[in-house]
Amino acid sequence: MKKLLTIILSLTISLGFSQTKEQLIESIIKVNRVDSDCVGMGCSESEQYKNFQKLKSQISDKELTELSKHENPTIRTYASIELIQSNKGNVPELLSAELKKNEMVETFEGCLMGIDPVSSIIYHEYWNKIRIEASNKGNNYERELAMKKKLESDFVMEKLDSIIIYSNKEVYWLLYSRTFENRKHKDNYLSRIEELAFNNNNSYAFEYLKKYYPSEYSKKLENYLTVDFLKAKFQTKNDLYYLHSFIELLLESKNANYKKIAIDKLTNDDFWKQESGWFSTTLKKHGIEI
């Protein structure tokens, strides 16, 4: 009987008959991938994307919000994207919830397939949305300036960055990069940014302090690079990006002692060899081989 029902459901779908909300959700979960509206060589809409569009047309705003809390990360991601694009969702709440869950989802956009944190997708959906909205007039320079100003001044974006800075979870490295590039943050954030830079070896927080508070933090920055950096433990995927950023900073300073510190660190720490090609390319730019 169960097999017969499955066959009937498959025939219903293949013949183009209307599917219920429950059937559409099941179909999306079965593929379990977030497809954009442009996938593959022909940049076409996939069945996965179309199924969510059908689902979206059948549900209320309340049901859409409930789907953003669904146990399946693909369903949550599609629902969250729609809530952001339609200005119907509380983006800080969506981001906070996903940072707590700390789940990944398979993605397909253009010809690229990958696995991304749901929190990063939500953050970048809003980040891109306000940039695009701000860049609809003027030449390239004017558009770039408009996007930069929007990222600096947008209240929701500021809230998202605050959530990233104060998160107790390990946040995807790219979100830290965006957060510390977007603007100069409030001075009362400094103690937390110090913690990220000097205790958590977060290179993006470190470079933020170096950029905006060079004199105030000169001794701490110098002490970290000459003493603490050599003892620091880099052990996670995020840490690879932090380590690479610190190595670049040391090598690009033109300081002979800093160059020696970079070489000593990589000589005595094999962790970077997980991405040896990336690090070796950087070292070769500065005439170094390890």
Side-chain angles (χ1 to χ4, degrees), residues 177-238:
S177 177
R178 300 289 191 219
T179 290
F180 290 118
E181 283 177 356
N182 285 341
R183 79 188 66 78
K184 183 179 180 182
H185 299 285
K186 297 171 184 174
D187 285 350
N188 60 7
Y189 286 21
L190 279 174
S191 61
R192 173 56 178 165
I193 296 172
E194 277 189 63
E195 183 182 0
L196 289 171
F198 303 127
N199 296 352
N200 296 6
N201 306 305
N202 186 314
S203 60
Y204 303 106
F206 184 94
E207 290 181 10
Y208 172 88
L209 294 175
K210 186 173 181 290
K211 177 180 179 180
Y212 289 110
Y213 300 92
S215 57
E216 296 92 331
Y217 284 92
S218 60
K219 288 184 179 178
K220 282 191 174 183
L221 295 168
E222 176 72 11
N223 185 71
Y224 178 86
L225 291 176
T226 57
V227 180
D228 298 334
F229 175 66
L230 286 169
K231 297 182 290 185
K233 301 291 185 184
F234 294 89
Q235 300 173 317
T236 68
K237 186 71 173 176
N238 269 4

Side-chain angles (χ1 to χ4, degrees), residues 37-96:
D37 59 350
C38 168
V39 300
M41 295 296 290
C43 189
S44 57
E45 295 179 352
S46 67
E47 285 304 310
Q48 179 78 333
Y49 178 82
K50 289 177 182 177
N51 279 338
F52 182 75
Q53 298 310 302
K54 292 175 190 174
L55 175 63
K56 183 178 74 175
S57 69
Q58 295 183 27
I59 59 177
S60 66
D61 291 346
K62 183 179 179 182
E63 288 174 307
L64 183 64
T65 299
E66 285 303 309
L67 286 180
S68 72
K69 303 170 186 176
H70 197 277
E71 63 180 3
N72 178 268
T74 295
I75 295 292
R76 289 202 312 274
T77 303
Y78 267 125
S80 296
I81 289 172
E82 179 58 29
L83 286 169
I84 292 168
Q85 288 299 330
S86 62
N87 297 313
K88 294 174 181 175
N90 185 316
V91 190
E93 285 186 4
L94 293 171
L95 178 64
S96 294

